[in-house]
C-alpha cells in the first residue's frame, strides 16, 4: 500500500484459494508499474500448495500471471539473519532483486545496528531501509525498483557443491531425453533438495517415470559423494548468512527480553497458557450474550416491531393473507434472522482481534502438543478455530498444512466445530431451557452453557481425528 497508494484489488488464483494483492505504482518517468504482493513465506521450500504459489509466480509458472521483472523482498530489520534465508533463495530465481529493510525503528529500539551499505555489498543487491508504517524510505524504494526493472539478476555470492550441480545437469539431460520442455534450474533445485515437497510431487506428475527415476538416481549420487542431501542447503545458506551478518549487523551481546517475550512466556506456558486460552475463549463466548442482548432487544423491539407496526397501519393491505405475508412473513421472517446478527458480528470481531494481535499463532503453538497426540499438528488449530465462524473458510485455510494426511483429517473434522450458523439454534434452545441465572455471583449461566455447546464439538472432533 505504501508503494501503490493503497489501490489494491483482491483476486483468487484458479484452483488454489489464495488472496493476492495487485496495485499500481507510478514511476518517476510516468510509467505504470504493477506491484504484486505474494502470500508471505519464510522459505521457497514449499510443503503445501499454498506456499507453492510464491515459487510459481517467481518462476513464471502461473498461466494467469506473467513472470515478474523484478523481486522485492521485505526483511525484518530486527531479525535480519532469519529473513536472509528467503532472500538467498529469491536471488536464485533469476530476477533483479531489491531488499526492503523494514521496521528499522524496531531494530534501533532493540539495539540492533544494521550497516545497510555493507549488507547490500555482501549480498550483491540493493538494500533500502524503510519504516513502512510512517512512509520512511518508500520514495527511495521506488527509485531502486525502477533501477531493478532496468537491471539484471544478481550474481550468486556462494557456490553449490559440485555433486549438486552435477545432479542438476543430469536432471536437465533427463528432461531433454524425454522430449519435455526445460525447467528453470531453480525449480529443479527445489525438486532435488525438498524431498517430499510440492516441487518434487509436481515434477514426478508432469514429467513421468523416467525423470522420476533420474531424480532418485541424482539423489543417490549426491549421498554417495559424501554430501548430506538433507542438510546441504541449510548448511550452505546459513554459512553465507553468518558471513553477511558478521560484516553488516551489530546487535546486543545479551539482549534483554522485551514485553512481547514476557507475554509469550505466559501465553505459551503449558499450564498458564492453557488457563489463559480457556479464560479468553470463555470471555469471548460469554460476551456474545452479554454484549449482544441490548442490541438484539433494540433490533427486535424497535426496528422489527416498529416496521411491523408501521406496516400494520397500511390500510390497503387489508386483514387477509397479504397483510400476514408482509408483517409476519417478510418483516418477521427476515427479522428472525437479522436479530442474531449482533452475536455473529461480535464473534467475528473478537476472532479478528485475536488474530490481528498475534494471539492465534500463540494458541496454535500451545495446542500443537495436544493435536499431535491426535495425529495432527499445531497448524490444524487455526483452520479448526476458523470453523467456529464458518466451516467453509476453515476447510479452505487447511491448505497451509504441508502434510497431506494432516490436511485431510483437518478438513474432515472442521465441520464438527460449532459454526456461526448454529448460533441461532443454540440461542433458541438456551433461551428456552436455561434460566438467566448466575453462577458464583458473576458468571452468566446461559453463557456457560453456550461455551459448553462449543466444547462438545471440540471434544468430539479430537477422538474422531
Amino acid at each position: 500500500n505504501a508503494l501503490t497508494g493503497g489501490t489494491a484489488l483482491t483476486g483468487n488464483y484458479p484452483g488454489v484459494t489464495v488472496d493476492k494483492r495487485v496495485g499500481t505504482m507510478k514511476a518517476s518517468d510516468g510509467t505504470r508499474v504493477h506491484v504484486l504482493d505474494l502470500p508471505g513465506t519464510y522459505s521457497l521450500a514449499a510443503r503445501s500448495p499454498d506456499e507453492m504459489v510464491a515459487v510459481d509466480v517467481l518462476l513464471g509458472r502461473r498461466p494467469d500471471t506473467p513472470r515478474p521483472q523484478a523481486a522485492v523482498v521485505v526483511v525484518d530489520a530486527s531479525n535480519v539473519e532469519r529473513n536472509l534465508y528467503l532472500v538467498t533463495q529469491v536471488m536464485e530465481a533469476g530476477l533483479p532483486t531489491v531488499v526492503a529493510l523494514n521496521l528499522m525503528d524496531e531494530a534501533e529500539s532493540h539495539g540492533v545496528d544494521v550497516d545497510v551499505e555493507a549488507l547490500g555489498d555482501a549480498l550483491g543487491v540493493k538494500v533500502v531501509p524503510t519504516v513502512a508504517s510512517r512512509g520512511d524510505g518508500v520514495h527511495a524504494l521506488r527509485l531502486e525498483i525502477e533501477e531493478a526493472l532496468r537491471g539484471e539478476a544478481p550474481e550468486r555470492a556462494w557456490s553449490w557443491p559440485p555433486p549438486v550441480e552435477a545432479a542438476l545437469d543430469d536432471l536437465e539431460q533427463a528432461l531433454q531425453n524425454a522430449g519435455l520442455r526445460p525447467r528453470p534450474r531453480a525449480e529443479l533445485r527445489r525438486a532435488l533438495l525438498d524431498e517430499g515437497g510440492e516441487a518434487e510431487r509436481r515434477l514426478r506428475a508432469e514429467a513421468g517415470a523416467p525423470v522420476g527415476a533420474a531424480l532418485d538416481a541424482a539423489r543417490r549420487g549426491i549421498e554417495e559423494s559424501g554430501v548430506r542431501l538433507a542438510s546441504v542447503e541449510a548448511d550452505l545458506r546459513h554459512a553465507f548468512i553468518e558471513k553477511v551478518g558478521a560484516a553488516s549487523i551489530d546487535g546486543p551481546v545479551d539482549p534483554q527480553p522485551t514485553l512481547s517475550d514476557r507475554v509469550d512466556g505466559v501465553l505459551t506456558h503449558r499450564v498458564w497458557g492453557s488457563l489463559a486460552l480457556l479464560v479468553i475463549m470463555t470471555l469471548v463466548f460469554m460476551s456474545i450474550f452479554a454484549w449482544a442482548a441490548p442490541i438484539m432487544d433494540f433490533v427486535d423491539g424497535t426496528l422489527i416491531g416498529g416496521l411491523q407496526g408501521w406496516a400494520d397501519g397500511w390500510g390497503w393491505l387489508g386483514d387477509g393473507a397479504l397483510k400476514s405475508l408482509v408483517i409476519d412473513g417478510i418483516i418477521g421472517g427476515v427479522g428472525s434472522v437479522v436479530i442474531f446478527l449482533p452475536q455473529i458480528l461480535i464473534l467475528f470481531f473478537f476472532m479478528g482481534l485475536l488474530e490481528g494481535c498475534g494471539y492465534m499463532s500463540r494458541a496454535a503453538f500451545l495446542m500443537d502438543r495436544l493435536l499431535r497426540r491426535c495425529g495432527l499438528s499445531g497448524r490444524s488449530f487455526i483452520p479448526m478455530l476458523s470453523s467456529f465462524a464458518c466451516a467453509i473458510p476453515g476447510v479452505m485455510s487447511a491448505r497451509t498444512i504441508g502434510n497431506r494426511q494432516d490436511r485431510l483429517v483437518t478438513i474432515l473434522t472442521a465441520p464438527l466445530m460449532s459454526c456461526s450458523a448454529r448460533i441461532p439454534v443454540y440461542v433458541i434452545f438456551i433461551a428456552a431451557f436455561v434460566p438467566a441465572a448466575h453462577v458464583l455471583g458473576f458468571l452468566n449461566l446461559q453463557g456457560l452453557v453456550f461455551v459448553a455447546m462449543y466444547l462438545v464439538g471440540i471434544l468430539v472432533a479430537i477422538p474422531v481425528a
Side-chain angles (χ1 to χ4, degrees), residues 112-394:
V112 178
D113 181 24
V114 182
D115 187 332
V116 176
E117 186 175 351
L119 178 61
D121 291 341
L123 290 173
V125 299
K126 289 294 184 179
V127 178
V128 183
T130 64
V131 181
S133 60
R134 300 200 304 251
D136 297 348
V138 174
H139 178 68
L141 179 59
R142 289 179 178 175
L143 295 179
E144 291 299 342
I145 291 175
E146 294 178 31
E147 288 295 326
L149 291 173
R150 296 188 290 266
E152 298 180 353
E155 294 185 5
R156 196 172 59 213
W158 60 92
S159 299
W160 288 93
V164 174
E165 295 290 359
L168 293 174
D169 293 338
D170 293 341
L171 283 178
E172 289 178 338
Q173 187 62 46
L175 287 170
Q176 183 178 349
N177 294 340
L180 300 173
R181 65 172 181 82
R183 259 68 166 182
R185 200 168 179 89
E187 181 180 352
L188 293 179
R189 186 180 294 109
R190 294 267 55 89
L192 177 68
L193 299 177
D194 305 335
E195 191 169 1
E198 282 293 308
E200 177 191 356
R201 182 195 61 77
R202 188 168 63 186
L203 179 65
R204 290 182 182 275
E206 294 179 357
V211 176
L215 178 62
D216 295 334
R219 284 176 173 164
R220 286 194 301 270
I222 293 176
E223 293 288 349
E224 291 171 359
S225 69
V227 176
R228 294 186 68 251
L229 184 67
S231 62
V232 59
E233 180 179 21
D235 293 342
L236 177 69
R237 296 194 191 281
H238 283 303
F240 174 71
I241 291 170
E242 288 179 6
K243 180 181 177 182
V244 171
S248 60
I249 303 171
D250 184 19
V253 178
D254 186 18
Q256 297 298 316
T258 63
L259 176 60
S260 179
D261 295 332
R262 290 191 289 269
V263 172
D264 286 346
V266 175
L267 295 182
T268 59
H269 191 271
R270 183 181 303 180
V271 177
W272 303 118
S274 300
L275 290 175
L277 176 63
L278 181 61
V279 169
I280 290 173
M281 292 296 107
T282 300
L283 291 176
V284 167
F285 292 133
M286 289 183 65
S287 67
I288 294 174
F289 272 92
W291 291 9
I295 307 176
M296 293 173 67
D297 292 340
F298 172 78
V299 172
D300 186 30
T302 304
L303 294 184
I304 306 302
L307 283 175
Q308 288 177 323
W310 178 54
D312 190 38
W314 296 349
W316 57 271
L317 287 176
D319 294 325
L322 180 60
K323 182 177 182 179
S324 177
L325 172 65
V326 173
I327 296 176
D328 301 324
I330 299 177
I331 300 177
V334 173
S336 65
V337 177
V338 173
I339 192 175
F340 298 109
L341 186 60
Q343 295 177 326
I344 299 173
L345 291 178
I346 290 174
L347 175 64
F348 280 23
F349 168 75
F350 277 113
M351 292 296 104
L353 184 65
L354 291 174
E355 184 173 358
C357 71
Y359 179 72
M360 290 304 189
S361 58
R362 292 164 172 82
F365 173 80
L366 187 66
M367 295 294 292
D368 183 74
R369 184 187 301 271
L370 173 62
L371 292 176
R372 283 193 181 279
R373 294 177 180 175
C374 308
L376 297 173
S377 68
R379 301 184 76 173
S380 301
F381 177 69
I382 298 300
M384 287 186 168
L385 197 60
S386 300
S387 299
F388 282 115
C390 179
I392 294 174

